[in-house]
């Protein structure tokens, strides 16, 4: 049986080329029974964690690498870097980051030779084939310079530098292979055979070239377009590779030997929090407990409570606090809470408006005590276990809203406090969505703009819309595609490209803070000036790699409120404190009942205004209920009518079980909130609140098997 391992492959994450979808690529490798495969995307590691996980799940050894451009005597030239071990992996991340931050040439990161020399340990290097420096020098007739450069590279990467040969049908391959074979025999530098993969099958070549043209702005038939790929760049079997290089069996075997030398093990699922500065002599856990207790005391002292109720309230609130503190310490997250509290405290001190808290984090009394949120979770019957479940260890995740105009200042503060090379935002990936891909394909195929525009307009504008769904939903599409060859050609190509990663962006609010250099965990992207740092792993992969995500969300509503308060101060000399406004202002609720809610966050749509007129809210709790009811599930299930009719006495308030009355009485017997689902599981089935949270999650994912596990 022929032994061979593919050491170069470009997935869809290369962006400049590559159609490989990681799951199907790894499955294809497994089907050929190759023991390992490398992913070497163009100047990035966007897909590396996904690739690593899928490869292991398929029993394939993942080889982590990158195709990069390196400084050379003949201009930027190709090198392929493969990580042998953890040192090599860190050097890979560091080199990519340096290239993006300080080595960009015309938008492409180019690695300087000095950086490569400094970060040589732990890397196996392939020469880059005909795009590498050595082959380009040979092609230019500079064999002596090429030979001298070979000596430098061989010494820099002792027993780790390989002369790469490929047979893709590209000009210059014959000359380079002859030279590489001669050098290998003369100097003992080994050959390695590769077949740089960009797509799965030969018939994917046209789709691949269309993808390249979309990126480069060409049409497929443009005579001036430089064609850098051939139809041979598919996932070849070991037998096909053996037939391609019958005279170089060692070059095939070397691919396997390289795979055997690469053994990076990523540490996934372990969190590494930055160090929060605490007073000398204190411990983190002790300081966190003390700060939480002090904050709760301040909160309780500020509450207008009748004296005869104060002692009972103190007891209940402090008991809840101690429980939460114990869970947070047990999970190892005190630093997370202190860091969030610190940048919120700084923002407020700088007069930057901060939201009162939303999402499951509002259920934590510790968050309230530390000033992270401004909502009393006990008063609003919010459950801590929905935020942090002691029976399911996962990172806490506060969604913190800042004024749009002040958000970037808070991020700057965090970068100054923890180090510029420890803080960055998070990458996101845009894909070729249904409407956009038909327009792109129409342009690349050189067809009239109107054809692509008409096709795109027939695709319904809905979240999650796909070409297949559009075809089923819109009869005109089937009729047109059945009678128009041009339209059908565009549609069929669009189907092949739909969903492919097209471009990168920046997460709306995600920021990571590392306990040191970010490049120990992820490579970085940056703008051409080296600023605007962004991780090369997306939000899921960056957390898997151990970095903790903090959400800094810009909310325009806070900015508008701030403008309004400034205007009031300008006209009247003083303005109210928003957090001290009464929650039962009768005039406000009269205005709400008239549905005068334009520009009020979450209450301004036409459908919401109609619901407000029907419900006629009379308390803050009923405003909360409004928002919960205005979702597809409640609107389609009859829950909305039940709630409204029961509130107005048009229907009797009933409960599924008498024991549920204390849980459901505030919502007229309607199960409206996730906290109620958890409490029902606790009361009727004896669940702990942690177990009830696991059940709630399984229900939300609509996975009966998960619900059955919780029942067991």
């Amino acid at each position: 049986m022929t032994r061979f391992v593919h050491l170069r492959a470009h997935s869809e994450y290369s962006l400049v080329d590559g159609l490989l979808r990681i799951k199907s690529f790894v499955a294809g490798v497994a089907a050929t029974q190759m023991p390992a495969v490398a992913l070497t995307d163009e100047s990035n590691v966007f897909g590396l964690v996904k690739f690593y996980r899928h490869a292991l799940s398929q029993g394939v050894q993942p080889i982590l690498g990158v195709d990069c451009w390196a400084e050379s005597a003949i201009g930027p030239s190709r090198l392929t870097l493969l990580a042998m071990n953890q040192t090599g992996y860190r050097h890979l991340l560091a080199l990519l980051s340096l290239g993006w931050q300080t080595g960009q040439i015309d938008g492409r990161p180019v690695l300087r030779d000095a950086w490569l020399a400094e970060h040589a340990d732990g890397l196996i290097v392939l020469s880059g084939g005909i795009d590498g420096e050595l082959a380009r020098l040979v092609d230019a007739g500079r064999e002596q310079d090429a030979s001298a450069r070979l000596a430098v590279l061989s010494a820099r990467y002792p027993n780790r530098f390989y002369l790469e040969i490929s047979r893709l049908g590209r000009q210059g391959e014959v000359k380079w292979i002859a030279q590489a074979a001669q050098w290998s025999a003369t100097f003992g530098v080994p050959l390695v055979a590769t077949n740089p993969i960009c797509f799965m099958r030969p018939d994917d070549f046209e789709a691949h070239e269309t993808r390249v043209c979309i990126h480069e702005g060409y049409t497929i038939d443009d005579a001036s377009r430089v064609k850098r790929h051939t139809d041979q760049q598919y996932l070849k079997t070991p037998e096909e590779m053996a037939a391609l290089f019958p005279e170089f069996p060692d070059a095939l075997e070397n691919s396997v030997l390289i795979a055997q030398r690469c053994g990076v093990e990523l540490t996934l699922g372990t969190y590494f929090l930055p160090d929060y500065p605490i007073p000398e002599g204190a411990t983190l856990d002790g300081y966190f407990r003390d700060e939480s207790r002090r904050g709760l005391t301040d909160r309780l002292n500020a509450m207008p409570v009748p004296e005869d109720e104060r002692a009972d309230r103190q007891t209940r609130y402090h008991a809840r606090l101690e429980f939460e503190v114990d869970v947070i310490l047990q999970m190892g997250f005190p630093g997370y809470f202190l860091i969030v509290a610190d940048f919120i405290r700084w923002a407020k001190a700088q007069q930057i408006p901060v939201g009162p808290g939303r999402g499951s984090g509002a259920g934590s009394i510790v968050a309230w005590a530390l000033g992270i949120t401004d909502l009393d979770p006990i008063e609003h019957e919010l459950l801590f276990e929905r935020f942090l479940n002691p029976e399911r260890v996962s990172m806490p995740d506060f969604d913190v809203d800042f004024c749009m105009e002040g958000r970037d200042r808070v991020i700057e503060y965090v970068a100054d406090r923890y180090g510029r090379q420890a803080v960055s935002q998070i990458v996101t990936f845009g894909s070729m969505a249904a409407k956009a891909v038909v327009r792109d394909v129409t342009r690349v195929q050189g067809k009239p703009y109107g054809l692509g525009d008409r096709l795109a307009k027939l695709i319904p504008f809905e979240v999650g819309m796909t070409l297949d769904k559009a075809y089923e939903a819109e009869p005109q599409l089937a009729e047109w595609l059945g009678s128009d060859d041009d339209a059908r050609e565009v549609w069929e190509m669009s189907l092949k490209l739909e969903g492919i990663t097209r471009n990168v962006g920046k997460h709306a609010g995600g920021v990571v803070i590392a306990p040191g250099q970010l490049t120990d965990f992820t490579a970085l992207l940056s703008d051409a000036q080296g600023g605007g740092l962004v991780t090369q792993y997306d939000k899921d992969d960056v957390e898997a790699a151990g970095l903790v995500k903090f959400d800094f969300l810009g909310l325009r509503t806070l900015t508008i409120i701030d403008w309004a308060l400034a205007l009031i101060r300008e006209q009247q000399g003083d303005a109210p404190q928003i957090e001290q406004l009464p929650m039962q202002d009768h005039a406000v609720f009269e205005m709400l009942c008239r549905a005068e809610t334009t520009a009020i966050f979450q209450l301004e749509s036409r459908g919401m205004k109609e619901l407000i007129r029907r419900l006629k809210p009379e308390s803050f709790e009923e405003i909360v209920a409004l928002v919960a009811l205005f979702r597809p599930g409640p609107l389609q299930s009859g829950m909305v009518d039940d709630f409204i009719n029961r509130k107005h006495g048009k229907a009797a308030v009933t409960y599924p079980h008498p024991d549920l009355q204390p849980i459901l009485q505030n919502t007229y017997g309607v199960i409206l909130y996730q906290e109620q689902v958890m409490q029902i599981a606790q009361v009727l089935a004896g669940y702990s609140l942690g177990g009830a949270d696991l059940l709630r999650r399984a229900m939300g994912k609509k996975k009966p098997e998960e619900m059955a596990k919780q029942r067991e």
Side-chain angles (χ1 to χ4, degrees):
M1 178 179 176
T2 302
R3 284 158 51 90
F4 177 76
V5 167
H6 282 288
L7 297 178
R8 283 186 59 192
H10 283 191
S11 77
E12 60 179 300
Y13 289 102
S14 278
L15 303 184
V16 297
D17 59 20
L19 278 190
L20 297 175
R21 301 178 198 253
I22 286 175
K23 283 187 179 180
S24 57
F25 170 51
V26 172
V29 171
T32 66
Q33 298 186 329
M34 281 183 278
V37 70
L39 181 69
T40 58
D41 277 323
E42 173 89 19
S43 299
N44 74 66
V45 287
F46 297 150
L48 186 145
V49 172
K50 295 175 179 61
F51 164 70
Y52 180 86
R53 285 176 148 170
H54 286 304
L56 291 182
S57 71
Q58 294 290 318
V60 174
Q61 176 200 341
I63 302 170
L64 311 182
V66 65
D67 275 351
C68 60
W69 294 98
E71 172 186 76
S72 79
I74 203 164
S77 302
R78 173 78 71 193
L79 274 183
T80 298
L81 310 179
L82 304 174
M84 296 174 62
N85 48 36
Q86 308 308 120
T87 298
Y89 173 63
R90 287 197 302 274
H91 283 171
L92 198 68
L93 301 182
L95 284 166
L96 281 175
S97 302
L98 284 168
W100 281 103
Q101 288 180 263
T102 60
Q104 288 192 49
I105 298 176
D106 296 329
R108 182 170 66 181
V110 178
L111 306 186
R112 295 175 190 162
D113 199 52
W115 300 341
L116 288 161
E118 183 181 350
H119 297 85
D121 289 350
L123 293 174
I124 288 175
V125 178
L126 313 188
S127 68
I130 62 169
D131 295 316
E133 179 183 13
L134 300 180
R136 293 182 65 203
L137 286 169
V138 169
D139 189 58
R142 297 169 58 181
E143 287 84 356
Q144 190 171 353
D145 290 339
S147 181
R149 186 62 179 160
L150 173 61
V152 171
L153 294 171
S154 298
R156 177 182 297 168
Y157 307 103
N159 301 314
R160 293 182 282 119
F161 184 76
Y162 290 79
L163 296 167
E164 179 188 356
I165 57 174
S166 302
R167 282 178 169 152
L168 305 175
R170 293 180 62 193
Q171 186 175 355
E173 288 177 342
V174 173
K175 182 177 181 180
W176 165 243
I177 290 173
Q179 182 63 71
Q182 179 186 328
W183 277 341
S184 181
T186 304
F187 302 117
V189 180
L191 300 175
V192 64
T194 69
N195 194 74
I197 310 166
C198 289
F199 40 90
M200 291 293 291
R201 297 169 299 276
D203 59 7
D204 290 331
F205 177 61
E206 185 181 357
H208 174 267
E209 289 298 274
T210 302
R211 189 250 161 86
V212 171
C213 287
I214 289 173
H215 174 78
E216 296 181 345
Y218 287 100
T219 61
I220 199 79
D221 294 327
D222 191 331
S224 66
R225 178 170 72 92
V226 177
K227 297 179 181 179
R228 297 175 286 107
H229 304 88
T230 76
D231 61 3
Q232 296 303 300
Q233 292 181 253
Y234 64 92
L235 179 60
K236 291 184 175 177
T237 65
E239 290 70 29
E240 287 177 298
M241 291 301 296
L244 201 59
F245 292 100
E247 76 276 42
F248 296 118
D250 287 351
L252 300 173
E253 182 65 21
N254 282 338
S255 71
V256 179
L257 297 179
I258 288 172
Q260 292 172 347
R261 297 174 69 186
C262 294
V264 178
E265 292 185 15
L266 298 185
T267 303
L268 302 180
T270 299
Y271 300 114
F272 300 93
L273 277 160
D275 293 329
Y276 180 81
I278 57 175
E280 189 175 348
T283 65
L284 180 63
D285 289 3
Y287 180 74
F288 171 69
R289 189 181 294 274
D290 291 343
E291 285 292 290
S292 301
R293 288 171 174 169
R294 182 192 59 75
L296 181 60
T297 298
D298 291 344
R299 288 284 195 186
L300 293 176
N301 288 341
M303 294 173 69
V305 181
E307 197 59 40
D308 59 341
E309 296 179 15
R310 185 171 297 278
D312 176 63
R313 180 169 293 222
Q314 292 268 0
T315 300
R316 284 190 299 119
Y317 278 61
H318 277 283
R320 168 82 170 258
L321 181 90
E322 295 302 323
F323 164 73
E324 289 192 17
V325 167
D326 287 343
V327 171
I328 293 165
L329 293 180
Q330 174 191 335
M331 290 179 142
F333 298 142
Y336 179 90
F337 279 76
L338 291 170
I339 290 166
V340 176
D342 175 67
F343 62 68
I344 289 177
R345 186 165 52 245
W346 181 87
K348 290 178 178 178
Q350 304 304 310
Q351 308 302 312
I352 296 172
V354 183
R358 60 185 171 93
S360 60
S364 169
I365 200 167
V366 168
W368 184 55
L370 292 174
I372 295 171
T373 64
D374 288 316
L375 294 168
D376 178 348
I378 293 181
E379 178 186 345
H380 294 285
E381 299 180 348
L382 303 176
L383 301 178
F384 173 68
E385 287 82 357
R386 193 182 151 205
F387 177 57
L388 267 190
N389 186 345
E391 298 180 32
R392 178 185 178 272
V393 176
S394 60
M395 277 301 301
D397 188 11
F398 286 110
D399 293 330
V400 185
D401 295 317
F402 295 99
C403 158
M404 287 285 291
E405 294 187 338
R407 170 183 172 270
D408 289 345
R409 288 173 57 200
V410 185
I411 295 174
E412 282 291 304
Y413 165 75
V414 170
D416 287 338
R417 185 162 178 78
Y418 296 98
R420 293 279 165 178
Q421 294 302 314
V423 177
S424 83
Q425 293 182 257
I426 301 170
V427 76
T428 58
F429 303 112
S431 61
M432 296 189 189
K435 284 179 175 287
V437 74
V438 296
R439 294 182 188 275
D440 283 335
V441 170
T442 302
R443 177 186 60 78
V444 166
Q445 290 184 351
K447 293 182 170 61
Y449 170 83
L451 185 150
D453 186 57
R454 182 184 168 194
L455 272 176
K457 287 178 177 176
L458 285 175
I459 298 169
F461 188 77
E462 294 178 18
V463 175
M465 179 55 60
T466 65
L467 295 175
D468 285 338
K469 288 180 182 177
Y471 187 85
E472 294 296 324
E474 179 50 70
Q476 289 185 59
L477 274 173
E479 181 181 344
W480 187 20
L481 295 176
S483 60
D484 189 309
D485 290 343
D486 283 349
R488 186 166 56 253
E489 187 177 357
V490 169
W491 191 264
E492 289 174 354
M493 180 58 70
S494 298
L495 284 169
K496 294 181 180 181
L497 295 177
E498 184 183 20
I500 288 288
T501 301
R502 176 175 180 174
N503 60 286
V504 299
K506 190 181 293 186
H507 191 282
V511 173
V512 291
I513 308 174
Q517 294 287 323
L518 271 168
T519 52
D520 288 341
F521 301 89
T522 175
L524 299 174
L525 290 177
S526 74
D527 57 33
Q529 289 72 43
L533 294 185
V534 179
T535 64
Q536 289 197 19
Y537 295 155
D538 66 19
K539 66 180 181 64
D540 294 327
D541 291 348
V542 88
E543 288 191 27
L547 290 173
V548 179
K549 176 172 70 73
F550 300 82
D551 282 324
F552 293 67
L553 303 172
L555 188 62
R556 190 160 186 79
T557 303
L558 290 172
T559 307
I560 293 170
I561 291 171
D562 196 43
W563 290 345
L565 292 173
L567 194 61
I568 293 169
R569 280 191 291 270
E570 181 182 319
Q571 294 180 351
Q572 300 182 10
D574 195 14
Q577 295 291 319
I578 289 291
E579 59 273 12
Q580 294 177 6
L581 291 175
M583 302 294 281
Q584 291 296 336
D585 189 316
H586 183 68
V588 170
F589 283 99
E590 284 185 342
M591 183 185 72
L592 282 175
C593 290
R594 294 193 301 269
E596 295 176 3
T597 57
T598 299
I600 297 178
F601 184 55
Q602 293 188 316
L603 302 183
E604 61 182 322
S605 70
R606 181 184 301 174
M608 175 59 89
K609 288 180 178 180
E610 177 58 32
L611 182 58
I612 290 170
R613 290 189 184 98
R614 293 177 60 200
L615 180 62
K616 298 190 182 304
E618 300 172 287
S619 66
F620 176 74
E621 287 71 25
E622 289 185 352
I623 296 175
V624 175
L626 269 172
V627 176
L629 286 167
F630 196 67
R631 290 176 294 128
L635 289 170
Q636 295 167 11
S637 69
M639 285 173 59
V640 172
D641 293 333
D642 287 344
F643 190 97
I644 292 173
N645 289 336
R646 293 179 184 191
K647 167 183 163 55
H648 295 306
K650 296 178 181 179
V653 176
T654 59
Y655 301 96
H657 190 281
D659 291 348
L660 301 184
Q661 181 172 348
I663 299 170
L664 301 178
Q665 61 186 0
N666 289 340
T667 54
Y668 307 104
V670 176
I671 304 172
L672 185 56
Y673 304 122
Q674 296 188 44
E675 283 83 359
Q676 291 174 322
V677 172
M678 293 168 62
Q679 289 172 309
I680 289 169
Q682 183 186 39
V683 169
L684 293 186
Y687 278 70
S688 66
L689 284 175
D693 176 65
L694 296 177
L695 176 66
R696 173 193 67 81
R697 291 171 187 267
M699 291 170 63
K701 294 176 181 176
K702 297 180 175 62
K703 293 186 176 181
E705 66 278 7
E706 290 293 327
M707 287 184 263
K709 283 182 189 177
Q710 298 310 317
R711 188 168 62 247
E712 294 168 5

